[in-house]
Amino acid sequence: MNILSAIIVFENLHEVKRLFHWGPIIALTVIGVCSSMAILDSIIWYWPLDTTGGSINFIMLINWTVLILYNYFNAMFVGPGYIPLEWKPENQQDIMYLQFCRLCQGYKAPRSHHCRKCNRCVMKMDHHCPWINNCCGHLNHAYFTSFLLLAPLGCIHAALIFIMTMYTQLYDRISFGWSSVKIDMSAARHIHHPFMPFSIAAFAATLFALGLALGTTIAVGMLFFIQMKVILRNKTSVEAWIEEKAKDRIQYYQTGEDFIFPYDLGSRWENFKQVFTWSGTPIGDGNEWPVHEKCNQYTLTIEQLKQKHDKHQRSVEYRVVEDYNGACCPLGKGLNTFFRTPCTEEPRIKLTKGETIFATRGTKWWMYGDKVLNEEQADAGVRIRGWFPRRCVEKCHYDSANNSASQEKKEQ
């Protein structure tokens, strides 16, 4: 019993450590600044608690803060749900439709993907969010999306408070001349006499909080619409990308296939209910899912296997001709490489002159690929892949990935 208690305490401490990351620190700071400044501005300078409207306004501000924090912490600590280590399907014949994850020593269930940050295969993975320092997936998708909705709404309310506070406090203090505008911060208002004067510091703090609130409204509001777009189609961001690649693959090879996304149930309301439920628990166990009548549980995983094979077929072999230290924005690789670094959390990989790498995609200045490893590393399941400057490599002129044995060993 003591051992079990110790394990539970250790797991809880591990979850609490998620707070000590730049994402949650910034997010909670923004929430704290906007909420506290809106409450202070309301009760001191704009809408005192001795009025009915002021009391209702105060309760609404507290309500926004509680709801935002409730969904934020649930998104962070409930987590997305993980596929058990060494997982296998009940029917052993289904293994042929699934990808094997060497890091988790198990098969990837439908809709699951391995997250490098969490170092686990995540159920119905949408993306890894730095702001909650966790993945957004099956179990916390509803909490995360609710947070994306509530945060802009709360910030809009706070922004209105900030604007009205500055307007009412400065209205009697501004005087306009022929060529100048003067603000007398020592002048007192004629109607309401707060116990604390609206000083220059208070004005600066309110203006700063207004900027945070407006910025959060725009940025988080855009993320909310992106999430709702995929939820109403019962997709994730990863699956939307897989579907796009499926169309490109079919068009490139002219196969004549008719790819149907298997998890779109045909009704936006039905798709919506797959994520949002009255109980708060999403539909499904994270392994099996309701699918389109013309599809089966492995329609998407089979497409992923086709895309993986196609990626290896179309990958190009490069030899490293210039060392690279793995910096995100390398100063010594040219201005275009520095300023046009990929805007992604995907890793950069160190390169040493003479190494071989298989590139699978890229931009004009950067490339993404897998480094060819020695036999011992490949057998141990080690895989090194990421972005690197295009100028550090040159294309090999002999036969490439298609006939390379090493390419097979690095598959996960």
Side-chain angles (χ1 to χ4, degrees), residues 196-211:
M196 183 185 298
F198 191 73
S199 61
I200 294 177
F203 172 75
T206 301
L207 190 62
F208 176 72
L210 175 62

Side-chain angles (χ1 to χ4, degrees), residues 91-105:
N91 186 352
Q92 293 298 309
Q93 293 180 345
D94 294 339
I95 287 175
M96 61 185 295
Y97 305 125
L98 300 172
Q99 297 183 69
F100 184 77
C101 177
R102 289 193 176 185
L103 296 174
C104 295
Q105 287 297 301

Side-chain angles (χ1 to χ4, degrees), residues 38-49 54 57-58 192 194-195:
I39 292 172
L40 289 174
D41 279 5
S42 294
I43 63 179
I44 297 177
W45 296 298
Y46 175 58
W47 217 341
L49 292 177
N57 176 66
F58 176 77
H192 172 59
F195 64 86

Side-chain angles (χ1 to χ4, degrees), residues 82-88 100-107 114 118-121:
Y82 302 107
I83 301 296
L85 297 174
E86 302 180 3
W87 180 85
K88 293 181 180 180
F100 184 77
C101 177
R102 289 193 176 185
L103 296 174
C104 295
Q105 287 297 301
Y107 288 88
H114 189 87
C118 298
N119 200 31
R120 289 290 299 274
C121 286

